[in-house]
Amino acid sequence: MWTEESTNAVQKIVTTLSVFCIVFLIRAWWNWQTAGLGLKSIPSKGSLGWPIVGESLSVRRCSGDISFEGWLRERIQKYGTMCKSHLFLKPSILMTTTEEVKFVFDDPHKQMRNGAPESLKRIFGSTSIFSLEGEDHRHVYKILNDSILMPELKKKTAEFNRIMRHSLSSWDGQTLDILKPMQTMIFKLMTFNFFGIPWEGEIADRIASLLYTVVLGPTSLPFYFPGTDFYKAMNAKTRVTELVVPIIRELRSAETGRSSKYARSAEKFPYQNLFNIKFNGGKEMISDTGVCDILLSPILSGGQGPGTVVALAIFHLTKNPSMLQKAQAEVDRVRKQKEELGEADLSVSDLKDLKYLTQVYNEVLRISTIVPGVGRVATTDIHFNGHVIPKGWFMLAPFVLIHMDPELYPEPSKFNPDRFETPPNPGKFLPFGRGYRHCVGRDFTKLVVVMTLYHILSNFTWDVVSCSGKVQYVPFVKMIGDFQLSIKSRTHLL
Ligand code: HEM
């Protein structure tokens, strides 16, 4: 039986508990918002957003009409250029001016480590370039970088031309969204480039289809539960490794004298030096899986970029018919010159004759900064411009703001390849970053995108069937929604 007395007692307990909960939540909220304040002079302005998730959800919503650049500008207006936030599960500082971005890239006092998300590091592996720091990183970076700059790529353009022609050979008469076939082509081009895997073969097809699943993982939360993108990506990566490790084993033994079908006859495997790498101050010999992870990481990180740039270039040219005409005229002129010389393939030296197409390429990279910013984590308290960035805090350098600065690029939202009539100023054009983690795929991307655009423009015309024109901005720019073209061969026009 409930008496008045017992009802009152229950009411008192409920009220006390409610007050306790409210005080606890306010305290937790306050601690959250002021984490580090008082102890450290981190920028006092900004918002840490919601407990645990911080502002991650709000930044992930940037797509379509809400641009990442708009999201950043709103914060800069409210809190100033260097402000705090909470992103990717870490208290963070947004470093938004050119000087602040440069500081993050250059890390002049070696006080930062790579801020790649946990999921990416777990999927790509402990020897992937994104997980390595210091001396180990420098070693691997040099081998990857040296082997994929223009002088090395020159040797492969004949094969690249063949892959491109083969990939485009079925386009005539089709209605398609070109992003997917472009990405499949680039994955095959990269597995050929890094492992010497024949692109026409069954292994290349299987790897390309698995890579689509692997690349879903790095931006998901690292929860290894069946059904999650992270789980699927981890398993797909294991299957790719199972396919690639026997090839690595064969290449390693080819180095010791035996020939390998992947080493392309007399040509030396360009990553031979990786087999001699020793990590942890020369104590640890690298395994075949370790080499596999080193060579897979550029494919996994960069594989989607070039295809996205091709699709965006076609999108912008289609929206601007006079630019499309200009690009087409340039391509026809170069094609005619080459026919007169009896040359079918496009080579690295032809890039200088494709000046307008190169301007289109640069303008796509500026207006749609594919990687909108990079992140680092402070490994010690960092003193910068009167602030102390506490150890463990994440620093985000969103260089997309530099590309959209009206003082550097008048009318920045307008697609205008003519602004690159003179080559871009490296300090103000950073699509591939800069410093000791400067993108190793920068030459590869330029060559492959300009070559692919050349092949598309010289072979096809198209009508737009449907186009949502939507773009996702974070964590990487990519086209989302429909962009269907009805494609016809131009042979009858030439
Ligand atoms: C549109 C295409 C691409 C864009 C916009 C792009 C952009 C970038 C940026 C901004 C970085 C610097 C990251 C940092 O400082 O933390 C980077 C790093 C890197 N990129 Fe690219 N990339 C592209 C394509 C590629 C391709 C095709 C490859 C491989 C062939 C590649 C391989 C890499 C690697 C391995 C790194 C890591 C360097 C390191 O951490 O030391 N990227 N990329």
Side-chain angles (χ1 to χ4, degrees), residues 105 114-115 129-130 137 141 144 148 186 190 193-194 297-299 301-306 308-309 361 365 369-371 373-376 399 430-434 436-442 444-445 449:
F105 271 131
N114 196 12
I129 193 151
F130 298 93
H137 172 264
Y141 183 90
L144 285 182
I148 196 175
I186 305 283
M190 290 174 96
N193 183 77
F194 286 101
S297 57
I299 304 180
S301 65
Q304 290 176 291
T308 303
V309 179
Y361 165 76
L365 288 177
T369 307
I370 307 287
V371 177
V374 296
R376 303 282 186 263
F399 49 90
L430 301 159
F432 297 107
R434 59 176 267 159
Y436 64 98
R437 287 192 182 267
H438 197 182
C439 176
V440 306
R442 56 200 184 277
F444 176 90
T445 305
V449 170

Side-chain angles (χ1 to χ4, degrees), residues 189-476:
L189 231 145
M190 290 174 96
T191 44
F192 163 73
N193 183 77
F194 286 101
F195 298 105
I197 295 174
W199 51 271
E200 315 94 316
E202 195 208 335
I203 301 188
D205 283 338
R206 274 166 62 200
I207 293 179
S209 74
L210 285 166
L211 290 178
Y212 276 109
T213 310
V214 183
V215 295
L216 290 177
T219 53
S220 61
L221 288 172
F223 297 144
Y224 191 69
F225 291 131
T228 61
D229 282 348
F230 181 72
Y231 181 89
K232 290 181 202 159
M234 288 288 278
N235 289 324
K237 162 72 190 326
T238 306
R239 286 168 61 203
V240 175
T241 309
E242 284 163 6
L243 288 170
V244 175
V245 164
I247 296 171
I248 296 289
R249 213 165 280 145
E250 197 180 326
L251 287 165
R252 200 194 276 263
S253 62
E255 184 208 20
T256 57
R258 282 188 283 142
S259 68
S260 159
K261 63 183 168 198
Y262 300 106
R264 292 190 298 286
S265 62
E267 198 188 306
K268 200 175 169 232
F269 176 56
Y271 305 100
Q272 212 70 275
N273 289 344
L274 286 179
F275 296 133
N276 305 322
I277 277 197
K278 292 199 176 106
F279 286 133
N280 289 334
K283 283 180 244 139
E284 226 176 85
M285 189 75 192
I286 192 160
S287 66
D288 293 334
T289 315
V291 174
C292 171
D293 282 350
I294 291 178
L295 291 177
L296 273 178
S297 57
I299 304 180
L300 295 172
S301 65
Q304 290 176 291
T308 303
V309 179
V310 171
L312 285 167
I314 296 291
F315 170 75
H316 285 293
L317 289 175
T318 309
K319 266 182 42 184
N320 296 282
S322 62
M323 296 177 195
L324 178 58
Q325 239 173 22
K326 199 168 165 181
Q328 205 114 50
E330 181 178 82
V331 164
D332 289 351
R333 185 173 43 74
V334 173
R335 181 176 166 145
K336 196 155 174 267
Q337 269 169 24
K338 295 195 70 68
E339 277 171 0
E340 280 165 9
L341 292 168
E343 292 172 8
D345 281 355
L346 201 65
S347 64
V348 167
S349 59
D350 293 323
L351 292 194
K352 66 176 182 333
D353 295 327
L354 293 167
K355 189 168 175 277
Y356 189 67
L357 224 47
T358 308
Q359 286 173 225
V360 168
Y361 165 76
N362 283 333
E363 179 64 346
V364 169
L365 288 177
R366 183 201 64 82
I367 204 164
S368 309
T369 307
I370 307 287
V371 177
V374 296
R376 303 282 186 263
V377 176
T379 52
T380 178
D381 289 354
I382 297 178
H383 296 253
F384 178 72
N385 276 358
H387 299 289
V388 181
I389 300 158
K391 181 177 172 180
W393 278 51
F394 180 77
M395 282 165 282
L396 180 70
F399 49 90
V400 57
L401 289 170
I402 299 174
H403 292 172
M404 298 304 275
D405 182 343
E407 289 192 4
L408 301 176
Y409 299 100
E411 294 188 86
S413 306
K414 200 170 152 190
F415 184 76
N416 175 17
D418 287 344
R419 65 173 98 236
F420 288 115
E421 261 176 6
T422 50
N425 174 338
K428 296 167 189 162
F429 186 67
L430 301 159
F432 297 107
R434 59 176 267 159
Y436 64 98
R437 287 192 182 267
H438 197 182
C439 176
V440 306
R442 56 200 184 277
D443 280 3
F444 176 90
T445 305
K446 180 176 177 183
L447 180 69
V448 166
V449 170
V450 176
M451 276 178 80
T452 308
L453 287 173
Y454 171 87
H455 282 290
I456 294 177
L457 290 173
S458 61
N459 285 298
F460 303 111
T461 57
W462 55 86
D463 294 311
V464 178
V465 175
S466 60
C467 174
S468 72
K470 277 208 164 178
V471 169
Q472 169 201 290
Y473 299 96
V474 177
F476 306 113

